[in-house]
Amino acid sequence: MTSPTFEARLARAKFRSWHRGTREADYMIGGYFDRYHADWAEEDLVWFERLLDYDDVDIMAWALKTQPVPAEMQGERIAIMQKLDYVDIPR
């Protein structure tokens, strides 16, 4: 069995980021994916796939800076997420 391609993994990550279970999480995590995925390399996608394994409440707390970010998720990518400039809430 072959491993999924980078493009297939991106498609799966997009689906997972937009189907989190709450509208707020969808906008935050899905919006982050939509804004930044086009420039991702392998290591960026691996980080995002790991992020998607966490609970929404934790991811949102890290983005809102209300809980400390675990060491394995710290760095430039989470700092970008914490800017929250990618959240587009439709009216």
Side-chain angles (χ1 to χ4, degrees):
M1 189 165 127
T2 61
S3 298
T5 64
F6 187 82
E7 291 74 22
R9 289 171 49 217
L10 272 179
R12 183 170 191 264
K14 179 178 183 173
F15 181 86
R16 290 183 67 203
S17 69
W18 277 105
H19 295 87
R20 300 300 297 181
T22 66
R23 186 171 296 195
E24 295 83 1
D26 290 350
Y27 288 136
M28 182 179 286
I29 301 165
Y32 180 88
F33 176 88
D34 285 354
R35 173 74 66 86
Y36 295 108
H37 80 277
D39 297 326
W40 285 352
E42 174 68 21
E43 67 183 38
D44 301 301
L45 181 55
V46 167
W47 178 87
F48 192 72
E49 289 169 327
R50 196 171 340 132
L51 178 83
L52 292 173
D53 289 336
Y54 283 93
D55 290 334
D56 297 348
V57 293
D58 294 327
I59 297 168
M60 293 174 71
W62 304 335
L64 295 170
K65 301 179 186 177
T66 59
Q67 285 185 14
V69 178
E72 72 173 16
M73 300 310 294
Q74 290 178 7
E76 181 182 351
R77 295 174 196 94
I78 199 74
I80 291 169
M81 180 174 268
Q82 290 171 333
K83 291 179 184 178
L84 296 174
D85 61 350
Y86 51 86
V87 179
D88 183 24
I89 301 173
R91 299 180 191 254

